[in-house]
Structure formats: C-alpha cells, structure tokens
Amino acid sequence: MKLTFIVGTRPNFVKIAPLVSSASKFGITYNLIHTGQHYDTHLSDDIFRDLQLPPPEINLKISGGSPVSQIGRMLPALESILPKFSPDYIVVVGDTNSTVAGALAAKHLGLKLIHIEGGLRSGDWSMPEEINRVVTDSITDIFFVTESAAVNNLRKEGHTKNVYLVGNIMIDTLLKFRPEILRQPNPITEPKYALVTMHRPANVDQPEKLRAILAGLNRISQKIPLVFLVHPRTRAEMHKLKIKISPSLRLLPPLGYLQMQKVMQNSYFVITDSGGLQDETTWLHIPCLTIRPNTERPSTVSLGTSVLVHDTGKTLETQVDIVLSGKYKTGKIPPLWDGRSADRILKQLLKITL
Ligand code: UD1
C-alpha cells in the first residue's frame, strides 16, 4: 500500500510524524508533500528536525496571503504533482488550509481520501479552520477520529461508513518523545511560570481584542511570570499596536517541538487558543485556560483540564486565581489517547477495501 501525506503547518507535522515512523512496520510506503504554508525556521525546519521527519519530497513553497488565496494557489500545484505518486490514498490531517487544499485536489483527481482528526466541529463559522473541517469531511472516504463527539458529528452529517475512533495521534508524538523531552534543559529559569501561546485570527487580528488580551496578560504577569511564545501572525499584529509589555510577560519566538514541550510540561498552567495545546495539556494534567468561546475538542473541557475563557479580561483573571489557589479542576485522559493511534490507523487501513 502506498500513501501520500500532505502537510503544511506545524500542527500537521506533529500529527503526521507517528504515521511516517510506523508505516514501514506495516509494509506501507509513503510520499511526504509540504505545501510550504509554514515556512519560518521555527515553525517548519525546527519541527521537522525535532520530530525526525525526513525532508519532504516536494515543498510547494506556497505561503502567506489570505486563506482563499493560499488554498487557491495550492490547488493547481497539487494537481500537477499528486498523480505522479499514484497513491492508494491521500492522507490529510487536522483543519488547516493545507488540509482542505489537499482534500480538494485529491478528490478532483479521483484519488481516495483519508482524514485524520475528522469530525471535530466547533460550530463556529467565523473560524477558517471550521470551514476547512466541514469541507474536508464532506469529501473524505475514510475518517480516523480522536473522540466520540466527532463520531456523532459525522453521523449527523450522514457519514456512518468508514468512521474509526482511534484516539489522538498528537499524543502518540508526545509519548514517543517524552523521554527526550524530560532530558531537555529548560530554557526558562523561573521556578514557577505560566506559558502563553496565541495565533487565532479571532484573537489577534482585531486590534481591540488583542489589546484587551495583552492588557489582561500584563496584569496576570504581576501574579506569576508569563512566558509568551509569539507566533509570526501574532508578532506582526503586536508590532502594529505598539502596546507596552510588562517585563514579567516574557516574549520569545516559537520553539522547536522538544523545547516547547519542555517549557509546557514544566509550566504551572497554560493560556492558549491552540487546539493542539488543549489536547496535550489534557494528557499532561496541566490546567489550560483556552481563550475561545467554543472548542471543537469538547472532551478537553468535559474530561480534561481545559476551561473556555470567552471574556478575556475578568474571566481569564478569575480562572488564573482559581489555578493559583490550588482549586482548579483535575482532569481525566480521554479514551484511546494512549500513544497507539498511528498503529490502529495503519492496521485498520490494511483491512479496508473501498
Ligand atoms: C495556521 C492554521 C491553524 C494552526 C496554526 C498553527 C489555517 C487556516 N490555520 O494558522 O489551524 O493552528 O497554523 O501554527 O491553516 N507566517 C509566518 N511564518 C510562518 C507561518 C506563517 O510569518 O512560518 C505568517 C504568514 O505569512 C501569515 C500569518 O503568519 O501572514 C498567518 O499564517 P497562516 O499560514 O495563514 O496561518 P496561521 O495563523 O499560522
């Protein structure tokens, strides 16, 4: 069996790595295609290196611009290269512009499509990722899903065949590299700190919203030092605002996977709008204050350690106080988030004939 993996962003790399490393064990061959959506050394090269991913066979180097322009430019580029690989399946992961571009190109070329992390829904159409999820799933042939809510979402949309609950592949990566993460030196010297990441358009693209969040973070940093790993999108918007940042809100560039995990795993709590961090903090039992009004990952809230903080001023600070007082909830790990999702996926694939 031959698979073609299409990736483009940091979270895509983390999700594809376990399939890349397990494929040969199942006698499966693959090609790895990078759209180029994430091109920064911190967001691409450093992650490839840390995850021991082989260099992509092709990097389309398509980045920047609006989601529509990104997807639009990816389509003809993918159309010209995908048939050369003659794969049994195209595999896309997650919910990014590269995911949906890969899915559309595959189906228009008559290729069979697998979506890893299918079925997640936030119900929030203002998120580019929600559009990408729904469009991708509408043309997917085989779904591998992370949590039971996703199975129900797919059922409601009429997808009942070839839907497999296999657990969370991001946790495979976390577990595989855990010994190495533990051995890493921590670049943060403060004994107690919280970690911040934020890149969603809803939080960073509106100046007033970003200003309010940064003002809240400045205040929180008076209670506990904050380490803010600033995504390029966020950095560009912050630069425009010229807002004063407190010295205890430390701004750093994004880190490689191993260093990032070390900083997160040693943090007291996390403030984020990232989907991946919601999942990882739940597995790690680290409190996660998620700066979003909704989530496509409901088990991180119902079972795990995440709370949604919609009002980023007062509510965020109230939740910080709860964490600091030691009264924050404790979480459970959702079923099948056990580091064996990639093996379940590949084993299942060998049994399916479409
Ligand atoms: C993307 C994904 C999001 C994912 C996130 C993780 C979509 C719709 N969104 O958002 O689901 O959680 O990645 O990082 O696909 N930029 C750089 N350097 C880079 C990458 C981006 O400077 O390495 C700049 C771009 O030029 C652009 C902005 O950051 O101006 C946004 O990048 P984009 O690729 O649109 O998406 P992300 O915000 O990174």
Side-chain angles (χ1 to χ4, degrees), residues 11 37-40 43 70 95-97 129 199 231-233:
Q37 182 178 339
H38 280 179
Y39 50 89
D40 184 288
L43 264 54
Q70 241 175 35
D95 56 15
T96 67
N97 297 334
E129 290 85 353
H199 70 272
H231 183 282
R233 166 192 281 281

Side-chain angles (χ1 to χ4, degrees), residues 62-261:
I62 296 171
S63 63
S66 69
V68 174
S69 125
Q70 241 175 35
I71 295 164
R73 285 175 287 140
M74 285 172 193
L75 287 174
L78 288 166
E79 182 182 34
S80 68
I81 55 151
L82 292 182
K84 291 183 195 150
F85 297 115
S86 40
D88 295 296
Y89 297 100
I90 297 285
V91 181
V92 296
V93 294
D95 56 15
T96 67
N97 297 334
S98 301
T99 310
V100 75
L104 285 167
K107 291 308 282 183
H108 276 288
L109 292 166
L111 299 167
K112 293 187 191 106
L113 178 66
I114 295 171
H115 185 198
I116 313 279
E117 204 188 81
L120 294 180
R121 297 288 180 270
S122 66
D124 180 349
W125 289 96
S126 68
M127 289 176 74
E129 290 85 353
E130 183 71 355
I131 303 169
N132 296 343
R133 288 180 201 114
V134 174
V135 172
T136 301
D137 284 342
S138 72
I139 52 176
T140 289
D141 297 297
I142 305 175
F143 304 86
F144 290 108
V145 312
T146 51
E147 56 177 286
S148 56
V151 179
N152 295 335
N153 294 335
L154 289 171
R155 191 179 300 132
K156 279 189 227 149
E157 292 170 19
H159 304 290
T160 49
K161 272 200 203 147
N162 292 319
V163 176
Y164 302 97
L165 178 62
V166 290
N168 193 326
I169 200 158
M170 270 197 132
I171 304 302
D172 286 26
T173 302
L174 183 64
L175 288 181
K176 177 178 172 191
F177 289 101
R178 190 127 159 99
E180 227 164 305
I181 294 162
L182 293 173
R183 280 198 300 272
Q184 289 283 311
N186 188 353
I188 310 302
T189 46
E190 282 90 347
K192 190 172 169 184
Y193 63 89
L195 172 68
V196 181
T197 81
M198 190 170 58
H199 70 272
R200 298 232 177 238
N203 286 330
V204 306
D205 285 4
Q206 300 161 35
E208 282 324 303
K209 184 79 186 277
L210 181 56
R211 219 181 269 283
I213 296 174
L214 291 173
L217 293 177
N218 268 337
R219 284 194 299 274
I220 292 165
S221 73
Q222 304 311 304
K223 301 177 185 184
I224 179 168
L226 297 179
V227 174
F228 186 177
L229 303 181
V230 188
H231 183 282
R233 166 192 281 281
T234 315
R235 186 182 55 212
E237 295 305 318
M238 283 172 73
H239 190 70
K240 287 185 211 157
L241 287 188
K242 298 195 171 75
I243 198 167
K244 208 163 176 213
I245 300 293
S246 145
S248 42
L249 171 55
R250 192 159 148 209
L251 306 183
L252 293 176
L255 298 170
Y257 182 79
L258 298 174
Q259 286 272 285
M260 157 68 193
Q261 287 296 331

